[in-house]
Amino acid sequence: MLIKTKAIVVSAIKYQEKSLIVKCFTQSDGMKSYFVRDAFSNRKSNQKIAYFQPLTLLEIEAVHKNKGTLENFKEIKLASPFQTIHSDVFKTTIVLFLSEIIHHSIHEEEKNEGLFDYIETALQWLDNHDEIANFHLIFLIEVTKYLGFYPDISEIDFPYFEIKEGNFIPHQALGSLSAHETNLFKKLLELTYETDQKSFHIIERQLLLKILIDYYSSHLDGFRKPKSLEVLKEVFS
């Protein structure tokens, strides 16, 4: 079936000497993997490789056989060329980290247009703003709305947050955050991208990042800690 859709590049792995296997989160069909033959073999290879940087926004025309095998692109073009993301070390580090998060969080070849639209809008915001210290934290918590495990805030006045159940509780339990951690977590839930990026100190951001990784690990089967996590911590330290 010939499909025209927007797609977000999640990963690109070199295959043999000249080819790539590219995983994309598509607007039309969820997560799909594509085989790019001879990606490194001609004068236009640099241009072709540029399409497959982490979280690049593409418009694609592709043949989807939907048989569990690798699909094939027919045409590719940039949907919204980034102006700053691939030239700013902080933004590059963020998108590398978030691409790993998405890779380990979304597995279904199933349409999730709300999640696609959210990621696309968030990336465009990132590309157009300079104050981005909390971006990855807000992104991680907001994405849980589309993955089905956003925290239950019906009892948000309780002083402890239970990670596995995803709710607030009146007494500290074995699997809950401390009162201090819970207060930080509540503060994060109130933030938007437009909120003052100085809302947290560096240590608080690192603590929240750990909490969020633990939260994802508790709610997603097979979720793995991103390899780029330490790089992200180093860049934002």
Side-chain angles (χ1 to χ4, degrees):
M1 182 183 298
L2 186 63
I3 299 290
K4 291 183 178 180
T5 183
K6 288 183 180 179
I8 299 169
V9 176
V10 176
S11 66
I13 301 171
K14 191 172 183 180
Y15 178 76
Q16 295 182 343
E17 288 300 312
K18 298 180 180 179
S19 303
L20 283 173
I21 295 173
V22 179
K23 180 173 281 192
C24 291
F25 182 50
T26 69
Q27 190 174 36
S28 62
D29 295 274
M31 199 67 79
K32 302 290 283 185
S33 293
Y34 301 88
F35 182 66
V36 183
R37 189 183 304 277
D38 298 331
F40 299 91
S41 62
N42 57 45
R43 286 180 299 174
K44 293 184 178 180
S45 63
N46 287 338
Q47 180 180 357
K48 190 179 288 188
I49 297 304
Y51 290 145
F52 305 123
Q53 299 300 309
L55 302 191
T56 299
L57 303 174
L58 302 175
E59 289 182 5
I60 66 170
E61 189 173 310
V63 176
H64 286 180
K65 296 180 180 178
N66 298 318
K67 294 182 178 179
T69 56
L70 295 173
E71 314 289 15
N72 292 284
F73 294 117
K74 286 186 69 70
E75 289 190 19
I76 311 169
K77 65 178 181 178
L78 294 174
S80 301
F82 292 136
Q83 303 303 310
T84 64
I85 281 179
H86 295 312
S87 58
D88 181 303
V89 65
F90 296 100
K91 295 182 181 183
T92 301
T93 304
I94 286 174
V95 297
L96 180 61
F97 169 74
L98 294 180
S99 68
E100 283 196 76
I101 291 286
I102 293 168
H103 183 273
H104 294 312
S105 301
I106 308 170
H107 305 292
E108 299 83 4
E109 292 189 11
E110 185 176 308
K111 184 175 182 178
N112 189 337
E113 197 164 354
L115 177 56
F116 183 94
D117 291 345
Y118 177 77
I119 295 173
E120 179 184 35
T121 301
L123 290 172
Q124 290 169 339
W125 188 95
L126 177 66
D127 192 45
N128 289 297
H129 290 80
D130 297 323
E131 298 296 321
I132 57 168
N134 297 325
F135 178 88
H136 55 299
L137 302 176
I138 299 169
F139 182 96
L140 288 178
I141 198 64
E142 288 295 313
V143 162
T144 65
K145 291 178 179 177
Y146 304 94
L147 297 178
F149 59 99
Y150 187 76
D152 177 356
I153 59 173
S154 60
E155 302 286 356
I156 197 168
D157 289 336
F158 285 154
Y160 302 100
F161 181 72
E162 214 288 327
I163 284 187
K164 197 163 188 65
E165 295 301 322
N167 61 356
F168 292 89
I169 57 177
H171 305 290
Q172 188 164 17
L174 187 61
S176 68
L177 303 180
S178 69
H180 171 64
E181 291 168 336
T182 300
N183 282 332
L184 284 178
F185 192 65
K186 288 178 182 181
K187 190 175 177 182
L188 173 61
L189 293 175
E190 296 174 354
L191 295 191
T192 69
Y193 292 127
E194 301 297 340
T195 308
D196 183 3
Q197 297 293 308
K198 296 182 176 64
S199 303
F200 299 113
H201 299 299
I202 292 170
I203 300 299
E204 291 175 332
R205 285 196 196 97
Q206 292 189 349
L207 179 55
L208 281 167
L209 185 57
K210 178 185 182 303
I211 290 168
L212 287 166
I213 294 297
D214 289 344
Y215 190 54
Y216 270 67
S217 298
S218 294
H219 290 267
L220 293 174
D221 291 337
F223 181 81
R224 289 186 289 175
K225 184 184 296 185
K227 294 179 181 177
S228 57
L229 179 60
E230 294 307 316
V231 179
L232 184 75
K233 289 180 181 177
E234 184 69 26
V235 167
F236 280 92
S237 63

